[in-house]
Amino acid sequence: MVDLSRKFDVLVIGGGNAALCAAISAKRLGADVLVLEGAPKFYRGGNTRHTRNMRCAHDAATEILTGPYSEEEFFEDLLRVTEGNTDQELARLMIRESKDILTWIVEQGVRWQPSLGGTLSLGRTNSFFLGGGRAMLNALYRTAEQLGVEILYDAEVLDLDIKDGMFLSATFKQGDGRGSAKAATLVAAAGGFEANIEWLKESWGEAADNFLIRGTPYNRGAVLKMLLDKGVQEIGDPTQCHAVAIDARAPKFDGGIITRHDSVVFGIVVNRDARRFYDEGEDIWPKRYAIWGRLVAAQPGQIAYIIFDASVRNSFMPTLFPPIEGNTVAELAGKLELDPAALQNTITEFNAAVRPGRFDHTILDDCRTEGLVPPKTHWARKIETPPYLAYPVRPGITFTYLATRVNKQARMLMKDGGPSANMFAAGEIMAGNVLGKGYAAGMGMTIGSVFGRIAGREAARHATN
């Protein structure tokens, strides 16, 4: 039983990677820490449960990384995928601190494994969690519990008592009861609003009804909204998010990483009119996979189809659902409920535009189309070997980028521009400071770990001083 009559040094709201890194960081500095996780224990951890890896800068190859990944290269990758939409001071801080995270996170019980194969091509840049995100999460919870961090599950925050930028207490419900937690400092790490369809519809309109939510159904943005309503400065575009193309047959919530498709570079993508709408070979897949959710969201009915042939069916990581097959293009079109003539015409035009080259999906190769709009600038090969295959895909939202603004101490900034008296933020709830748009694989976990550690450290220092 948690004694709620006392005042804690640090209250952490959230239960994923960022929250646990904050709680552990604060506890290791001697702070008295309480974590409120809105989900039941079985579903604890938010989107961390579905992750696989983390992107960190490092100076040399290791047992699990094939080569160096400098701070400058990381920064250039971030600038490229965000098109400059990032707070460069915070971005550089995150990248610099990420070098320490590689060893710090191991000290908290997390273990690494060699990179997975397939189209991700992350063996040099990203460290993979042994056992995946849930194993990583379990290690952090085990460490937090051993250190004496107190945790309440199924604790949904209903209200935050904030006066003039100072946090006083949080009211929450747990089962049929209610409680109040007082603390000297607050670390908000409760995620974005991707599971709140009504909020998504405010920016996306009725199209949001067709979105699938890759992760937890508990990230409804309640804490984010409370903070913004109570004077915290916001940053970011509510339409920007980490959104990938996932199987249209996936469940509405919590389908996770096994419903994501990495086969785009091996074929073409058409909408329900059987027309291509974007360059499938624009850039290396880890730097472009997270744009495809938004691309599909802009298509009629928010659905699209990845089309490829038998020659490449074993070239990418398999997913939960098998591809739909047809011995002819017309048969495949019928199963997809597409116009057979239109699909055949699209494939015929594509094949005619393909120029031969040396195929290599790990680099920007010379296999391209010529005279085709939109082009396929790399990895273009004819689709001509039956059976013909397809995956239906819809937008799969991972997390949103509308965020609380923070400074280098992960302290929230108020609407008047000044720092909050005692409120800090980490993870998806502040990711929009770094990610104005776009994404590169593993960056969400970097933001969570780095700013979680910073927020916990700074909150503990504030509370104990």
Side-chain angles (χ1 to χ4, degrees), residues 28 93 134 142 145 237 268 296 302 338 342 355 463:
R28 288 198 180 279
L93 169 67
R134 189 165 295 192
R142 185 164 52 250
E145 290 163 353
D237 179 345
I268 60 173
V296 175
Q302 294 72 56
L338 300 177
R355 295 297 173 262

Side-chain angles (χ1 to χ4, degrees), residues 16 45 75-76 94 103 143 150 160 192 199 218 224 240 268 287 289 352 357 419 426 449 451 458 463:
F75 184 66
E76 289 171 1
M94 178 196 75
T103 53
T143 297
E150 301 202 63
L160 299 174
W199 194 347
Y218 299 95
L224 172 62
Q240 291 295 330
I268 60 173
K287 299 174 185 177
Y289 79 97
S449 297
F451 286 100
E458 296 300 323

Side-chain angles (χ1 to χ4, degrees), residues 153-170:
Y153 296 104
D154 211 7
E156 180 186 355
V157 173
L158 301 176
D159 192 28
L160 299 174
D161 187 4
I162 298 171
K163 296 287 194 303
D164 298 321
M166 175 174 282
F167 168 77
L168 301 173
S169 66

Side-chain angles (χ1 to χ4, degrees), residues 9-54:
D9 292 324
V10 180
L11 174 66
V12 179
I13 300 177
N17 169 50
L20 270 293
C21 287
I24 291 169
S25 177
K27 189 66 179 179
R28 288 198 180 279
L29 288 177
D32 188 17
V33 182
L34 172 64
V35 172
L36 297 181
E37 162 62 295
K41 186 174 182 178
F42 180 81
Y43 290 106
R44 71 183 183 183
N47 290 334
T48 303
R49 296 160 52 244
H50 298 301
T51 59
R52 290 193 294 215
N53 60 79
M54 183 189 306

Side-chain angles (χ1 to χ4, degrees), residues 208-254:
D209 282 329
N210 289 324
F211 294 176
L212 302 176
I213 316 306
R214 299 179 68 207
T216 173
Y218 299 95
N219 279 8
R220 297 183 52 79
V223 174
L224 172 62
K225 192 171 193 313
M226 289 175 208
L227 291 167
L228 298 182
D229 287 347
K230 292 175 183 285
V232 174
Q233 188 180 153
E234 72 175 54
I235 186 172
D237 179 345
T239 70
Q240 291 295 330
C241 55
H242 179 307
V244 304
I246 70 171
D247 203 290
R249 297 163 290 183
K252 185 70 173 177
F253 296 98
D254 227 30

Side-chain angles (χ1 to χ4, degrees), residues 249-304:
R249 297 163 290 183
K252 185 70 173 177
F253 296 98
D254 227 30
I257 206 158
I258 57 173
T259 62
R260 190 183 87 196
H261 287 296
D262 295 330
S263 53
V264 168
V265 302
F266 294 98
I268 60 173
V269 184
V270 302
N271 59 21
R272 71 180 185 189
D273 297 323
R275 298 180 63 86
R276 292 176 59 249
F277 52 89
Y278 199 78
D279 180 355
E280 301 90 348
E282 182 181 41
D283 203 347
I284 296 293
W285 187 239
K287 299 174 185 177
R288 282 295 178 268
Y289 79 97
I291 70 170
W292 280 89
R294 294 180 61 83
L295 292 172
V296 175
Q299 298 308 305
Q302 294 72 56
I303 193 164

